Structure formats: C-alpha cells, structure tokens
Amino acid sequence: MQVTMTVNGTQVSEDVEPRLLLVHFLRDTLGLTGTHWGCDTSNCGVCVVQLDGLPVKSCTVLAVMADGHDVRTVEGLADGPELDPVQQGFMHEHGLQCGFCTPGMMLTARHLLDTNPHPTTDEVREAISGQICRCTGYENIVRAVQWAAEHPKDVATEGVSP
Amino acid sequence: MQVPSPFEYERASSVDEAIALLQRHGEGARLIAGGHSLLPLMKLRLASPEVLVDINALTDLQRIRVEADAVRIGAMVRHAELLASAVVGEHFRLLHEAEQVIADPAVRNRGTVGGSLCQADPAEDLSAAFGALRAEVVIRGAGGERVVPVRELVTGPYETVVAPDEILTEVRVPIRPGTGSSYRKVERRAGDWPIASAGAVVRLEGDTIAEVGIGLAAVGAAHSVVRGAEDAIRGRAADEESIELAAVRASEECSPTTDQRGPADYKRALVAELVRRVLRTAIARSRGEEA
C-alpha cells in the first residue's frame, strides 16, 4: 500500500505492507535509525516520535496510519548544524548515560516546552513517565529539560560550545 | 520483533462508510482507532483480524459537547483530550483522575475513549469510571442508533454488546448538579495496569446519600460496578458508618484473582481501602468542601 507522509519536513512516499509499524518504517525503510526500538509493548518509550506534533510510541502505530500526516524524529530536531535547545540541554546537563532513551526523551521534551515553556519538575517527570531510562539518569534528564526551558533558542545558541 | 499477522487495511471517511466496510468484510473485520489496545494484542497474535478498518479520519467523533443535562463525548476523543477538557473536569472529577493514571502521556495521545470501552479489557479504567457515572453509549449500525447503559455494554472479558458491524459513536454522561466524584488507582509502577482501581459518584440530599455509583477495575466486578455496595448505602446518612459499609460490601462483591499483581485477599483489602477513600472524597466534594 502506498503511503505518503512528511518526515522531518520532507515528503516521503513508499509502498509498504499494512502491518509494518511506524518505528520499522522510519528505521528500516527510511534509514532514520535515531528512533530506537525497545520493548515492543508500548512500555519503554524509546520509540517515541512526534506525530502531528504529539509524542507517540511508534511501535504501536502502523505506518499506514501515518499516511498523510506529519512525523518528526530526533533527526529533525536540529536546525541544520544548530542544535535544538533541548539537545544542548541534554549535553550541558549530561542528560544521558547510554543514550538509548535519549531521542524519545528529547522529542517529548520538545513537545512539553512547546506547550508549557516553563514546566515544573513534576510536570517534566509526568511528561516522561512513559519513557524508561534504564541507566536511571532521570535527575539529569529533568535538569536538561529545565536547562532548555531557561535557554530558548535565541539564548541557547550563545555561549554554549559543544 | 513482534509483527502482527497480515491483514487488509481499509480507511473509512465517515461513520456510514465504516459500517458499510464492516458489513462487507464480515466478522473478520475490526475497527481500529488509536490502536493502543488492539495492536499490542495483534503483535502477540492474541488477535488476528483479517481486515482493519481505520476510523482515525472520523473527526466528527472527536468532539466533546455540553448539553443541558449531559456531556457528550465522541468515541474518537483521545485520552489526552478527555484529560485536557475543562468542562469534563468541572462536572466529573473522577474522569480526570482516572485519565491521569491511564497509561502514560504518549499512549494517551493516541488511545481513544471508545476504543478503551470496546476493547473491554477487564483491567480497563474507563468502564469503572463511566459505570459509576451511569453513562450511556450510543451504538450505530446500518439500521440506526441504539443507546445502551455503560453498565450493559461489556458482556465478558474483551466482549461487548457492540455487534461486528456496529460502531460505538458516543458516550453520554448525565450532568447532575451537586454531585461529587473521585477516582483512585493503585499500580505497581507508572503507567501500568491497575492492581485495583475504584471510582465513586455521590449526590447528597441534605445529609442523605440520594444517588451513588461505585465502579471498580481489575478486580472482577460484574460490569465494573458493585451494585450491592451502592444499594447498601443509598438512602443512608453520608457518614463514616455508611462509607465502611460500602467498603466492606464492595470488597466482598468483587472477585479478584491471584496473579502477578498480588494475591486475591490483598486485592480485596485494597478495594475496601480505595472505596473508603473515593467515597470520602466524593462526599466532601458534593458538599463543596474539597476542591
């Protein structure tokens, strides 16, 4: 079945089997391996991408259900060479250890900050409650999101060297 | 990698088209809305529909409308939308409290109200919440619409009165002024299915319990409610004695099983305590004492 969707701002069109899951479409068909694939049961949240701007678990969405919709993966966070404040926050606050959960965490954080620019610690924790960090590095992840909240785009690009 | 078995995929652009597709494909066809209940079962091959009819384009079922005496919630309303709805929170606090503990934000962005009810998982929270509220569902088929009380919707685990060629389109929740409600769930970890959940809805006349609804999830309560416990305290004073009576009756009336979430006697004790707490809160709210 032919599907056409916008992925990170670019329209893609592919012929897929109806049972193909969005996570595998992104990884295997499009080669966007930044979206990770973990528990396969909608629990761990490493497969989180934004679908029409909302974080969703892409292991529980069929690729055909995303037909005509807008998908954003971690590859679509940076603006060219310029990192998103959320990415800078994760770097600045060491918001990752093994990095496996990081792409999904960052897409959730981006959505949170887009809808609630100054979240409390509890609101950050609630937002990522469906995403498991097996390194249990949550403290730094929460700090990273709050760093990004304090450094919106125009501020974040100044004085931060990777 | 867990992959569903092959199926044909159809997309409906209207309720009538969805019904026509279900009729054309017969019993092997299933509606898919958010997919967050059905797809995991398909990946485990516990469900293998031959045809999936995608109803995500039916945005007219994605509205929450307020009428004089009821709030009408479209079947395609996502969990996150129910949670975000101010009017729902204003009238039915237990729906917000239930939604806060259903899965997690990403799952709530996709899963739908109608899908949860129709999946009829025995541990699903909305049947208990809407059951306590004595909501009704609207079911549409080729022959027209019928209205069924939520308390008569589920006929068994994963089974409802919705026929293979019908679609649940709406949940209607009656607005009763002066009502207080509350919902609580105990889970092993964030986003998990409940060990036990309880919801209560109370309307007082003076200091007497005039109307009461008590819903339970995950503990084998028939139709997700405990009518015996409700009957035991309707017409009684809204005091600790009545609350205790309902708590004990509810724990006896349900039939939890011993499983990975705990032994049956623990779950009965949990039900009693949850019912105590939700009734206390619902009564306080109906008096306007607790926000």
Side-chain angles (χ1 to χ4, degrees):
Chain A
M1 187 183 166
Q2 193 72 18
V3 295
T4 302
M5 66 184 87
T6 305
V7 179
N8 299 328
T10 304
Q11 197 178 69
V12 296
S13 201
E14 299 283 345
D15 188 34
V16 302
E17 239 195 308
R19 62 174 168 168
L20 183 70
L21 296 161
L22 182 59
V23 63
H24 301 306
F25 176 74
L26 294 169
R27 288 177 58 84
D28 303 342
T29 309
L30 301 184
L32 296 171
T33 53
T35 301
H36 293 164
W37 163 59
C39 71
D40 224 349
T41 59
S42 318
N43 283 301
C44 80
V46 300
C47 65
V48 163
V49 300
Q50 288 184 2
L51 182 61
D52 295 333
L54 293 175
V56 303
K57 293 182 173 176
S58 61
C59 79
T60 313
V61 177
L62 298 169
V64 288
M65 294 172 89
D67 182 40
H69 293 272
D70 193 62
V71 178
R72 191 184 195 189
T73 71
V74 69
E75 289 90 347
L77 263 184
D79 183 6
E82 192 181 309
L83 294 179
D84 187 278
V86 165
Q87 293 172 302
Q88 297 198 350
F90 271 72
M91 211 160 59
H92 198 269
E93 295 294 334
H94 307 286
L96 70 161
Q97 292 177 51
C98 85
F100 195 59
C101 71
T102 310
M105 290 285 187
M106 293 200 296
L107 287 158
T108 292
R110 182 71 269 151
H111 171 260
L112 175 67
L113 297 178
D114 287 345
T115 50
N116 178 4
H118 301 290
T120 63
T121 304
D122 282 350
E123 286 168 337
V124 176
R125 288 182 181 277
E126 164 66 15
I128 62 170
S129 61
Q131 291 166 268
I132 295 170
C133 166
R134 287 297 186 200
C135 308
T136 70
Y138 295 106
E139 289 296 335
N140 285 6
I141 291 169
V142 173
R143 273 190 217 121
V145 178
Q146 293 192 311
W147 187 95
E150 289 156 17
H151 298 79
K153 201 150 194 162
D154 46 334
V155 183
T157 49
E158 292 170 21
V160 180
S161 53
Chain B
M1 187 162 92
Q2 296 174 345
V3 180
S5 50
F7 53 84
E8 280 180 56
Y9 175 84
E10 301 262 21
R11 197 173 294 151
S13 55
S14 68
V15 173
D16 288 340
E17 193 188 352
I19 293 166
L21 284 165
L22 290 175
Q23 285 190 308
R24 190 194 311 158
H25 292 291
E27 295 212 358
R30 283 288 299 270
L31 293 177
I32 187 162
H36 276 52
S37 296
L38 183 56
L39 281 175
L41 290 183
M42 289 172 63
K43 289 206 267 183
L44 294 168
R45 307 285 175 116
L46 294 171
S48 299
E50 291 156 23
V51 182
L52 282 186
V53 177
D54 185 345
I55 55 169
N56 278 282
L58 306 191
T59 48
D60 49 339
L61 300 187
Q62 213 176 336
R63 297 194 194 119
I64 297 173
R65 284 177 292 174
V66 188
E67 295 186 344
D69 58 350
V71 174
R72 298 169 63 164
I73 301 165
M76 282 298 303
V77 168
R78 314 272 173 186
H79 292 295
E81 292 166 338
L82 195 66
L83 181 55
S85 165
V87 70
V88 166
E90 178 194 338
H91 293 292
F92 318 116
R93 286 286 295 277
L94 93 166
L95 284 182
H96 269 192
E97 290 174 340
E99 281 295 358
Q100 266 164 358
V101 291
I102 290 176
D104 58 63
V107 170
R108 293 198 290 263
N109 282 338
R110 287 293 289 171
T112 64
V113 169
S116 283
L117 290 173
C118 288
Q119 187 68 19
D121 189 295
E124 182 271 315
D125 286 285
L126 285 186
S127 296
F130 284 122
L133 285 165
R134 289 184 168 75
E136 294 175 325
V137 293
V138 180
I139 299 168
R140 217 163 111 187
E145 274 184 2
R146 59 195 176 109
V147 179
V148 175
V150 162
R151 291 177 173 215
E152 293 169 21
L153 174 67
V154 177
T155 52
Y158 309 103
E159 287 179 355
T160 69
V161 298
V162 182
D165 60 352
E166 288 183 318
I167 170 171
L168 189 154
T169 56
E170 190 175 83
V171 186
R172 292 179 183 167
V173 196
I175 298 173
R176 295 192 180 88
T179 297
S181 67
S182 173
Y183 198 89
R184 279 179 184 245
K185 163 172 164 174
V186 173
E187 55 192 348
R188 294 176 301 176
R189 51 182 155 72
D192 196 8
W193 293 98
I195 301 169
S197 303
V201 179
V202 172
R203 188 177 65 80
L204 299 181
E205 276 173 14
D207 201 38
T208 302
I209 298 170
E211 289 179 64
V212 56
I214 303 173
L216 299 177
V219 289
H223 305 288
S224 304
V225 293
V226 275
R227 290 170 199 264
E230 294 168 349
D231 292 343
I233 62 167
R234 191 181 299 107
R236 288 182 58 108
D239 56 16
E240 274 299 313
E241 203 179 316
S242 296
I243 290 169
E244 189 57 27
L245 180 62
V248 171
R249 285 296 294 270
S251 70
E252 291 167 352
E253 197 177 336
C254 64
S255 63
T257 52
T258 293
D259 60 16
Q260 59 189 355
R261 292 189 167 80
D265 55 352
Y266 162 64
K267 293 183 186 179
R268 282 192 199 276
L270 198 54
V271 164
E273 185 54 30
L274 285 172
V275 169
R276 273 181 208 114
R277 294 185 188 187
V278 292
L279 270 177
R280 266 183 215 132
T281 306
I283 288 169
R285 285 177 179 165
S286 68
R287 287 179 176 142
E289 288 169 4
E290 190 191 321

